[in-house]
Amino acid sequence: MARRLLVAALAVAMTVISVMTSAAAETGSWQHVPVPAQVRPQAGLNEAVAFGPDRAWAVGADAVGREAPGFPLALRWDGTAWQRQALPGAGRQGELLSIAAASPTALWAVGRDSAGGARLLRSDGTAWSESRPPRGVVLTKVVAGGGETWLIGSRDGAQALLRWDGRGWRDLPVPPGSVYGLHILAADDVWAAGATDSGAAVSHWDGQAWQQTIVYGFPRSAVGSVLAVSPTQVWAGGTAGFVGGPVGRPIPPLLVRFDGQAWNRVTVPTDFGSISSLAPDTSGALAWVAVARSQKWGPPGSYPPFVPGPDFLAWNGETFAEYSEPAVAGEGDSSVLRLAPVPGTETVWSVGRADGPEGTFAPRILRFG
């Protein structure tokens, strides 16, 4: 009798814990985190990277006007607030487009100056210094992972990929078409997201050559983010493309998944928008999908015909949970969403830019967890 009572009590306790855990997951939400007061109006963020609860960085541009290119912007999270960091070349106009880090003391940022020239910055985690960019290359993105750091750019109008060998940047072969994003697992295990004239493409580098697959053949489709979980599970996200149609009609999002044998499109709970970022959980599996300009069809006969869709999708291995970004006084929705998970935690940052008053924009930082 005592044993049956103990088993029953344990069952009740486990049920309560399960309900509490489920309720906690359902009540989680994205929160707005303010930028430093010294960041001037008309700023925007392009990308972020995190290494812990008190170590995160974000880059973008500050004081951008209709006829002014603005100034490069770098922020650092210290566990309590975001702080603006000093950058070399004070007063030089331009923008920082991308940031990546091989470690908390080896950060890289790429950007451009007001004349379109490449800028390459390096940080030891505390201060930024100027680094010489590869000759003749216009830089658009830096990606780190697996002990590797790569650059994406163009030279004389052609795609360029470069790898840091510890002393300098070395050119690598480039897959056909365009490359917009990378996921680097090792020097001989790199996945590239992009597009060709035949549609959205994902390519794999084995250290010697690229093997490319058209993952979605609809015209003008493309993928810009890729997440390799294992050889039998790779995700890529972007836009599904379009042919003709009414002027101003939004484009559907595209999420595809590789199961080790074939790429298949995955249904997402929104009808339009662009999948702009994928983020893993602590095990490396897909956890979050960001959808910029997310919209759904409204009720039949409604005008306008679209209603807002989810900005973030949380994947539990089987289904997506929908999340919206919080409302921010005086600002509209985000037009750019870039995810940066905090390693070893369930916390995720999202940085970008939001619609401001009278056609302007504003920096946007959000956090989950």
Side-chain angles (χ1 to χ4, degrees), residues 96-118:
L96 292 180
L97 302 170
S98 177
I99 184 172
S103 74
T105 58
L107 291 91
W108 294 90
V110 303
R112 59 192 171 205
D113 59 28
S114 57

Side-chain angles (χ1 to χ4, degrees), residues 182-248:
L182 298 170
H183 186 195
I184 306 172
L185 298 174
D188 58 356
D189 192 2
V190 181
W191 294 83
T196 70
D197 291 340
S198 299
V202 173
S203 304
H204 181 253
W205 171 256
D206 62 6
Q208 300 295 324
W210 290 99
Q211 181 179 355
Q212 186 176 79
T213 303
I214 303 301
V215 298
Y216 191 71
F218 202 77
R220 303 186 189 181
S221 62
V223 285
S225 300
V226 59
L227 176 65
V229 180
S230 71
T232 58
Q233 186 179 170
V234 184
W235 299 79
T239 54
F242 64 95
V243 175
V247 176

